[in-house]
Amino acid sequence: MNTPAIEAQGLVKVFGSNRAVDGVDLTVEAGSVYGVLGPNGAGKTTTIRMLATLLRPDAGSARIFGHDVVRDPQTVRSLIGVTGQYASVDETLSATENLVVFGRLLGLSPRAARRKAAALLDEFALTEAARKPLKSFSGGMRRRLDLAASLISQPPLIFLDEPTTGLDPRTRNQMWDTVRRLVADGSTVLLTSQYLDEADQLADRIAVIDRGTVVAEGTADELKASVGHQSLQVTVARGDADRARGVLLDALGHEAASTPLTQGVRLTVPVERSGPVTDVLVRLHQAGVEVLELALAKPSLDEVFLTLTGHTATAAEASASATPTSPEKVLA
Ligand SMILES: Nc1ncnc2c1ncn2[C@@H]1O[C@H](COP(=O)(O)OP(=O)(O)OP(=O)(O)O)[C@@H](O)[C@H]1O
Ligand SMILES: [Mg+2]
């Protein structure tokens, strides 16, 4: 067994009367992407700050690659990179200068620091802005620079606190590619996100945090399965409904629920896997049933989130993906 990148047990942080983090357990395997989801104020940033030795836990313990964050903070710091939720770079310096300063602080030679800065600016599409002072940067450019700064030393464990908040879709995709590259190169990434699809796309495992505790943990598929199975929805002409129901029962072993529509009837059957769906389509065709519409509806991470925490990720997220129950794939 490899030593986990992160092992936290019963982490607690209290601010006044607010138990911001209230007994968080986490295990993150080395070489994986781990997603931490939770509504505003759930305790995500506070948890990261404790894991990154920036904040002392009031109770519990955490080890990074086996090194205790309280007893051995120097070693832990040598193994991690942290990007803040807010850019933490110098306003008056240019993008290049900022990265060179970071590189020098991390012990790179002036030449190596400049080479590294140029490579990172290229990766984050900041080459054109390289000489401009930070004051003139947009929010998205700052976040990219902040992230670039945290990657100078290519640490084994990287904490990304909402790495793509406020980024345009293209830059967000670029970020995702960067995260995948980091993991392919052997790093471990823990990221927090308000975007459920981000965790769905990137994370090997996900912890959902609410009010300072982990309320669910697993792969995206496990979390979705815990909320409910996907279902097959077949819309057929009224005259075909009985025959179609027979085919579905035969093929999938479940009685279909019927919903009368203005045009035809929608039959809904739970399915464990999407595999048999093509088979069902063939059988319906053979039985002379005309399929007007076929869809596979999967519970989304939004539904998982809503079920577990009683609220959506954020108001913005809710309005951005306002149809959590809509069919994910229309197959015909
Ligand atoms: N330094 C601090 N002093 C006092 N209270 C704090 C401090 N830092 C965080 N808190 C409180 O602790 C709770 C958890 O905050 P935290 O920033 O960890 O949440 P979060 O999950 O990162 O939220 P967000 O999604 O908004 O970033 C909140 O109630 C917050 O107000
Ligand atoms: Mg936060």
Side-chain angles (χ1 to χ4, degrees), residues 153-172:
S153 64
Q154 289 185 2
L157 173 61
I158 301 155
F159 293 101
L160 302 176
D161 197 0
E162 297 191 26
T164 62
T165 298
L167 297 188
D168 62 47
R170 191 182 56 87
T171 315
R172 223 173 132 206

Side-chain angles (χ1 to χ4, degrees), residues 40-41 43-46 85-86 161-162 192 194:
N40 291 131
K44 303 181 295 294
T45 298
T46 307
Q85 205 170 337
Y86 308 100
D161 197 0
E162 297 191 26
T192 71
Q194 300 282 349

Side-chain angles (χ1 to χ4, degrees), residues 9 24 32 50 65 80 91 93 190 194 204 207 273 289 307:
Q9 272 134 21
V24 161
S32 68
M50 288 190 281
F65 294 108
I80 63 172
E91 287 284 309
L93 300 180
L190 181 141
Q194 300 282 349
D204 297 301
R273 324 196 59 80
V289 173
T307 307

Side-chain angles (χ1 to χ4, degrees), residues 109 124 147 165 177 192 203 231 260 269 292 299 306-307:
S109 70
F124 288 95
L147 186 73
T165 298
D177 288 343
T192 71
S231 54
V269 203
L292 304 176
L306 190 60
T307 307

